[in-house]
Amino acid sequence: MNTMNCLFCVLMGLCQLLSPAAALSMHPLWLPQSSMRVATLAQSLVIQSQPSSQSIQQAVVQDLAQRTGQPLQTFKVIHIGQQTWPDGCLGLSEPDVLCTMALVPGWRVVVSNGAQEWTYRTDDQGQIIKLDPGQSSQP
């Protein structure tokens, strides 16, 4: 690997840490010819790693089905929207739980079974899923 390729890898790594979009915004003229394939591969990996709202909805419905013991088909997502939460606990802090103090992009999802509604908060990746007890029926 030559020096230019190493520099490209370091730049892509730093951009990925700051923002996947920053890594993708690097102008192709800045990249050495041999690194063009690497940039294309990096772009496709970033795009594929971002979950869709559909996968977020499925994760929320699965959590609710487990909590209530009702079948998945019982539930329907009636609202989903992107939301920025004030901390790593998605604004739902608990006693004796430390939360990161940074804004967290994510989703607000409202699910219904026709008689009750539950509101969930998730992070952008759907790795953190929390039932919002203040805006939900008790499962």
Side-chain angles (χ1 to χ4, degrees):
M1 185 178 273
N2 66 32
T3 306
M4 190 61 122
N5 284 343
C6 289
L7 178 60
F8 171 74
C9 292
V10 169
L11 287 174
M12 285 297 290
L14 289 175
C15 288
Q16 285 288 1
L17 287 174
L18 298 174
S19 160
L24 298 178
S25 68
M26 294 179 68
H27 194 279
L29 295 177
W30 299 345
L31 306 175
Q33 283 294 347
S34 61
S35 298
M36 291 300 285
R37 286 173 291 188
V38 176
T40 303
L41 177 61
Q43 180 177 6
S44 67
L45 289 174
V46 169
I47 290 169
Q48 290 173 6
S49 70
Q50 296 175 347
S52 67
S53 65
Q54 187 68 29
S55 64
I56 299 292
Q57 292 177 50
Q58 289 172 350
V60 166
V61 169
Q62 285 177 342
D63 182 79
L64 188 54
Q66 287 177 343
R67 287 177 186 265
T68 63
Q70 297 177 30
L72 292 170
Q73 300 79 11
T74 306
F75 303 106
K76 180 180 179 185
V77 173
I78 59 174
H79 173 78
I80 182 166
Q82 292 185 310
Q83 183 83 35
T84 300
W85 306 111
D87 54 41
C89 292
L90 310 180
L92 299 172
S93 60
E94 300 173 37
D96 301 322
V97 175
L98 295 176
C99 304
T100 59
M101 300 307 294
L103 297 177
V104 175
W107 298 89
R108 180 178 175 273
V109 184
V110 181
V111 182
S112 176
N113 66 359
Q116 297 174 292
E117 288 185 6
W118 294 268
T119 300
Y120 275 83
R121 297 179 181 196
T122 77
D123 67 343
D124 204 29
Q125 299 296 311
Q127 294 176 340
I128 303 171
I129 298 173
K130 291 189 169 201
L131 179 64
D132 186 341
Q135 298 186 21
S136 302
S137 305
Q138 293 302 316

